[in-house]
Amino acid sequence: MSETTQTIPRESIDVLDQLMKPEVQQSLTVLVENLPKLAELVTILTKTYDVVQNVVTDQVLIEDIKGGMEEFVKPIQEGAKGIASAAIEANDRVQTAQTASIGLFGMLRMLKDPQVQKALQLSQAFLDVLAERRSQKEQH
């Protein structure tokens, strides 16, 4: 027996010792019972990996996605730039204007402006929505 022990590498003995433990044997039994499911899962993961790998390495597809995103983002970006430039211009006008304040008659004239009317309607609708949501929360 001592000759056999000497010819078997130490790593093999360690593995055999591990295999003799009941918890390792139980784990191996579970693995063997679930091999069909594990094989199916590995197959699905392999196919998914292949698809992802093809997508990631397809320069034409990447350029198409990039172009589509740019077409989607560009109008939003231009709109934001337009709003920002209008806000800057309005601020500049207020800063350079030497008028002291807007009086009652000035406010009445402003109320006739269609843009002011839209802003007031939007503000009123926004406040109505907030009030409705608040009352719905209170009812629950």
Side-chain angles (χ1 to χ4, degrees):
M1 183 83 164
S2 62
E3 291 178 22
T4 309
T5 306
Q6 291 176 348
T7 59
I8 298 175
R10 181 73 187 145
E11 297 84 21
S12 298
I13 294 172
D14 290 342
V15 170
L16 291 174
D17 287 341
Q18 289 292 322
L19 289 173
M20 296 305 293
K21 293 180 180 178
E23 63 270 12
V24 172
Q25 290 177 1
Q26 184 179 7
S27 296
L28 285 172
T29 302
V30 170
L31 280 174
V32 169
E33 289 172 356
N34 287 298
L35 275 178
K37 291 178 185 177
L38 290 172
E40 185 179 340
L41 181 62
V42 168
T43 302
I44 291 170
L45 288 173
T46 302
K47 288 178 181 178
T48 303
Y49 174 82
D50 291 342
V51 169
V52 169
Q53 195 65 21
N54 287 335
V55 168
V56 170
T57 58
D58 188 350
Q59 290 301 318
V60 174
L61 180 62
I62 291 171
E63 290 301 317
D64 287 348
I65 291 172
K66 181 181 171 186
M69 291 301 286
E70 287 174 354
E71 287 179 22
F72 176 75
V73 171
K74 191 173 184 178
I76 297 170
Q77 186 179 21
E78 289 172 358
K81 284 180 183 178
I83 291 171
S85 69
I88 291 169
E89 184 178 341
N91 185 47
D92 290 345
R93 287 184 186 183
V94 169
Q95 297 299 324
T96 58
Q98 296 300 323
T99 56
S101 62
I102 297 175
L104 179 61
F105 292 113
M107 288 192 60
L108 290 173
R109 272 193 303 271
M110 287 175 62
L111 286 174
K112 294 180 183 177
D113 184 328
Q115 293 299 322
V116 172
Q117 285 293 316
K118 278 187 176 181
L120 291 172
Q121 290 170 352
L122 177 65
S123 299
Q124 184 62 52
F126 180 72
L127 293 172
D128 290 344
V129 169
L130 288 178
E132 288 171 7
R133 288 184 180 179
R134 187 175 308 126
S135 69
Q136 287 175 353
K137 280 186 180 178
E138 290 173 359
Q139 289 176 358
H140 288 31

